[in-house]
């Protein structure tokens, strides 16, 4: 069994309703065990049997298809191992004055050098971003609700999908994963 942390992009916003109890049922129906969710924004800790489930990327694609079938909208699923989430948090390169204003945006791939050059042209105002492999780190000076940096525009320039969680949520999902291991 392999433990994974799933991040679903943009759920329970803009009419994309996905009750977490139904999401846990979907994950179980797809073969995950020990499915636990955190807050209503599409975060889950699961265990999957790799020989049965295929690769982690294949499982993520099946979850995406399941979301479309069960809930009627399409959303990307990005997963990481517990150690990858811990590393993303530990390696956060930007100053953190407030956990709610600092984010890790988990990316679906690694941007090309050309895409990174294009992304550097996006205005940021007082906000900052830094890229580390498949993790985009963002700090919003005045908070995400009053951001100068347009994260969606930045992701389009980088040419990858991503879903962002503030460091408070990253810490909580990591702690949940560690406690799930010890059950």
């Amino acid at each position: 069994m392999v433990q994974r942390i799933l991040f679903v992009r943009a759920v329970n916003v803009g009419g994309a309703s996905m009750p977490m109890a139904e999401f846990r049922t979907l994950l179980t129906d797809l073969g995950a065990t020990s499915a636990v969710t955190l807050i209503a924004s599409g975060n889950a800790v699961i265990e999957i049997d790799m020989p049965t489930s295929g690769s982690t990327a294949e499982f993520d694609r099946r979850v995406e298809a399941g979301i479309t079938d069960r809930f009627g909208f399409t959303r990307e699923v990005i997963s990481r191992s517990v150690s990858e989430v811990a590393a993303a948090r530990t390696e956060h390169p930007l100053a953190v004055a407030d956990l709610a204003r600092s984010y890790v945006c988990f990316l679906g791939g690694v941007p090309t050098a050309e895409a990174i050059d294009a992304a550097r042209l996006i205005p940021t105002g007082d906000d900052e971003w830094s890229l580390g492999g498949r993790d985009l780190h963002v700090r919003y000076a005045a908070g995400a609700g009053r951001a100068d940096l347009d994260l969606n525009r930045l992701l389009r320039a980088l040419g990858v999908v991503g879903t962002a969680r503030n460091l408070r949520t990253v810490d909580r999902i990591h702690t949940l994963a560690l406690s799930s291991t010890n059950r």
Side-chain angles (χ1 to χ4, degrees), residues 7 53 66 113-114 121 174 176:
F7 301 99
S53 299
E114 296 80 17
L121 302 176
H174 182 254
L176 180 63

Side-chain angles (χ1 to χ4, degrees):
M1 298 297 270
V2 174
Q3 189 177 44
R4 299 294 289 174
I5 298 175
L6 302 180
F7 301 99
V8 183
R9 189 188 66 76
V11 297
N12 294 327
V13 294
S17 178
M18 188 171 78
M20 292 297 99
E22 291 181 40
F23 181 45
R24 287 189 301 274
T25 299
L26 168 65
L27 294 170
T28 301
D29 291 349
L30 293 172
T33 60
S34 306
V36 182
T37 54
L38 174 71
I39 62 179
S41 61
N43 308 300
V45 177
I46 62 167
E47 289 184 3
I48 55 175
D49 182 11
M50 289 307 297
T52 303
S53 299
S55 72
T56 56
E58 290 169 339
F59 186 81
D60 294 352
R61 302 301 73 81
R62 286 201 309 276
V63 175
E64 289 172 349
I67 290 170
T68 301
D69 292 345
R70 190 166 294 192
F71 301 106
F73 53 83
T74 301
R75 290 297 183 267
E76 292 84 5
V77 173
I78 297 169
S79 73
R80 297 286 193 269
S81 69
V82 177
S83 61
E84 287 171 324
V85 170
R89 175 61 170 97
T90 301
E91 296 166 8
H92 189 75
L94 305 173
V96 178
D98 181 349
L99 294 175
R101 293 183 180 187
S102 295
Y103 288 73
V104 176
C105 184
F106 299 97
L107 303 178
V110 178
T112 65
E114 296 80 17
I116 295 168
D117 288 343
R120 287 190 177 118
L121 302 176
I122 307 262
T124 61
D126 290 332
D127 302 333
E128 298 177 87
W129 65 271
S130 178
L131 187 63
R134 297 184 306 153
D135 300 320
L136 173 65
H137 301 272
V138 179
R139 187 199 53 81
Y140 296 110
R146 298 187 316 220
D148 292 320
L149 172 63
D150 181 338
L151 183 59
N152 289 325
R153 184 176 174 198
L154 179 62
L155 290 171
R156 281 191 304 272
L158 290 171
V160 294
V161 297
T163 186
R165 301 297 188 271
N166 69 36
L167 294 186
R168 180 174 292 124
T169 300
V170 172
D171 289 346
R172 288 180 63 199
I173 195 80
H174 182 254
T175 299
L176 180 63
L178 293 176
S179 68
S180 294
T181 302
N182 298 323
R183 282 195 265 168

